[in-house]
Amino acid sequence: MWLHGCQMDVPGLGHPSAQNRCRHHLASGKGQLACGCVYGAASDPLMGILRLTGSEPLTILPLTLEPEAVAQAHYKACDRLKLERKQRRMCRRDPGVAETLVEAVSMSALECQYQFRFERWNCTLEGRYRASLLKRGFKETAFLYAISSAGLTHALAKACSAGRMERCTCDEAPDLENREAWQWGGCGDNLKYSSKFVKEFLGRRSSKDLRARVDFHNNLVGVIKAGVETTCKCHGVSGSCTVRTCWRQLAPFHEVGKRLKHKYETALKVGSTTNEATGEAGAISPPRGRAAGAGGGDPLPPTRELVHLDDSPSFCVAGRFSPGTAGRRCHREKNCESICCGRGHNTQSRVVTRPCQCQVRWCCYVECRQCTQREEVYTCKG
């Protein structure tokens, strides 16, 4: 299952810019943001309970909310997300799940845009494009499922170690009790809990559903790729390593995205065996050149690669799956020929002014000169 509810229209690659846009919309009370995940003051139950105007004295503000109010707030947050019945039930169990789902969707969409920024398909997910892609079995669809499950696994593991979840805590370092792990900074990201949760949350559908089996397989590839690395810290006098504390920490999500992008580039196309008498799809046949598993009944080949059913469109012209590449900015020496699909590109010369020769002044500001230079911008012809 692809995590629904996030319509990214952020053309840039930087996460802070997207966050600033969200804060701006939230402050203006516009309700649901462009990223489709955060709700403004008009619809946020917590804001409805407190009804803040910004001018109240601090003494009138409650230190905590009533348990019933908190439960009602996170129930409503789960109901707003496009979840199936089982997923909604799992969301309601823990007040931290809804917030983590929102974070995971945003993080996954931004990472998708970053990884495909130089490609014909640049992970445009607005409006009908996302819905059309998810109905087909393209390589791009496989990547969306994988990056989505990887994002949820990553965000949930981080939420556990940060103490934002009620049903999990940090992944304890070896030979350390939980409170000691907190004391020594050995609180690891709880990948074990998050992987188990995500697999159940995205659970397998009927084995007769061909697309569901493929989607579930790609989800699992994303969960597996959200790996951890061991981080250690020494404690002792004058930098000696009398005591060494180690804990497991998730790799940066950019690294996860990079690995999944490589999986996308080497994705395997699989086909289905169809019963000619009934017309129903049977087991999925292995990729060309690979033998079926020894068991014979395994619906997918034993691989940790991404798999897809359909050949991808060119994404060159506007259609159901993308807005095309006309007008897209490209880099002449890097990808103009590929992105512009042989149509050529326009060259525009412009003068830009940027900060340069910056120096840190005591205390405490940065002083820069303004440098003017001429640059050329290349865009694909229509």
Side-chain angles (χ1 to χ4, degrees), residues 88-118:
R88 188 180 300 111
R89 186 171 64 250
M90 293 180 67
C91 178
R92 287 183 166 198
R93 289 179 192 168
D94 194 318
V97 172
E99 179 184 354
T100 305
L101 285 171
V102 168
E103 179 185 346
V105 171
S106 177
M107 180 171 62
S108 300
L110 286 171
E111 185 60 30
C112 181
Q113 291 179 345
Y114 177 79
Q115 293 298 332
F116 286 85
R117 64 196 185 280
F118 298 130

Side-chain angles (χ1 to χ4, degrees), residues 327 330 336 340 343-348 376-382:
C330 62
C336 277
C340 299
R343 300 187 304 265
H345 60 272
N346 299 313
T347 303
Q348 179 184 4
E376 292 185 336
V377 177
Y378 308 99
T379 54
C380 293
K381 292 182 178 180

Side-chain angles (χ1 to χ4, degrees), residues 152-183:
L152 180 54
T153 304
H154 194 280
L156 193 62
K158 288 288 187 183
C160 289
S161 61
R164 303 203 310 264
M165 307 288 291
E166 289 186 357
R167 288 176 169 260
C168 66
T169 180
C170 55
D171 185 14
E172 299 176 13
D175 303 323
L176 286 175
E177 294 182 2
N178 198 45
R179 67 172 184 274
E180 292 177 329
W182 280 98
Q183 179 182 350

Side-chain angles (χ1 to χ4, degrees), residues 206-215 270-272 281-284 299 309:
S206 170
S207 60
K208 294 182 180 180
D209 189 336
L210 176 62
R211 264 299 305 278
R213 297 204 301 271
V214 171
D215 295 343
V270 295
S272 63
I284 300 175
L309 295 169

Side-chain angles (χ1 to χ4, degrees), residues 28-275:
S28 63
K30 291 185 178 180
Q32 192 172 6
L33 297 184
C35 55
C37 302
V38 184
Y39 295 86
S43 60
D44 190 335
L46 294 178
M47 294 299 288
I49 294 169
L50 296 177
R51 299 188 181 282
L52 303 182
T53 64
S55 59
E56 294 84 359
L58 294 178
T59 53
I60 71 167
L61 299 181
L63 295 179
T64 58
L65 294 174
E66 294 295 330
E68 294 81 3
V70 174
Q72 185 180 20
H74 95 262
Y75 281 2
K76 289 183 178 180
C78 292
D79 293 342
R80 288 194 189 99
L81 301 174
K82 296 180 180 179
L83 302 176
E84 297 175 358
R85 182 179 300 177
K86 176 185 175 182
Q87 294 170 339
R88 188 180 300 111
R89 186 171 64 250
M90 293 180 67
C91 178
R92 287 183 166 198
R93 289 179 192 168
D94 194 318
V97 172
E99 179 184 354
T100 305
L101 285 171
V102 168
E103 179 185 346
V105 171
S106 177
M107 180 171 62
S108 300
L110 286 171
E111 185 60 30
C112 181
Q113 291 179 345
Y114 177 79
Q115 293 298 332
F116 286 85
R117 64 196 185 280
F118 298 130
E119 309 286 339
R120 290 180 183 175
W121 180 70
N122 60 348
C123 199
T124 302
L125 300 176
E126 294 94 349
R128 62 173 182 167
Y129 302 129
R130 179 185 60 180
S132 298
L133 276 171
L134 293 177
K135 291 177 182 178
R136 300 296 299 271
F138 301 140
K139 285 200 307 181
E140 291 72 22
T141 313
F143 183 87
L144 287 176
Y145 276 92
I147 197 69
S148 174
S149 59
L152 180 54
T153 304
H154 194 280
L156 193 62
K158 288 288 187 183
C160 289
S161 61
R164 303 203 310 264
M165 307 288 291
E166 289 186 357
R167 288 176 169 260
C168 66
T169 180
C170 55
D171 185 14
E172 299 176 13
D175 303 323
L176 286 175
E177 294 182 2
N178 198 45
R179 67 172 184 274
E180 292 177 329
W182 280 98
Q183 179 182 350
W184 287 103
C187 181
D189 297 325
N190 201 334
L191 183 63
K192 181 178 180 180
Y193 175 88
S194 64
S195 298
K196 181 179 178 181
F197 179 94
V198 172
K199 288 177 182 178
E200 183 181 358
F201 188 81
L202 302 177
R204 185 192 298 267
R205 297 178 185 175
S206 170
S207 60
K208 294 182 180 180
D209 189 336
L210 176 62
R211 264 299 305 278
R213 297 204 301 271
V214 171
D215 295 343
F216 183 74
H217 171 88
N218 291 325
N219 275 329
L220 291 184
V221 173
V223 174
I224 292 170
K225 282 300 168 186
V228 293
E229 52 193 27
T230 301
T231 303
C232 294
K233 183 177 181 180
C234 287
H235 309 277
V237 180
S238 301
S240 64
C241 201
T242 308
V243 178
R244 189 175 71 156
T245 303
C246 296
W247 63 95
R248 284 163 290 196
Q249 188 176 30
L250 283 168
F253 196 61
H254 268 319
E255 292 298 320
V256 178
K258 187 188 301 183
R259 295 171 197 162
L260 289 177
K261 178 60 164 32
H262 177 72
K263 293 287 184 185
Y264 161 85
E265 293 168 352
T266 58
L268 304 174
K269 183 180 179 181
V270 295
S272 63
T273 57
T274 304
N275 186 324

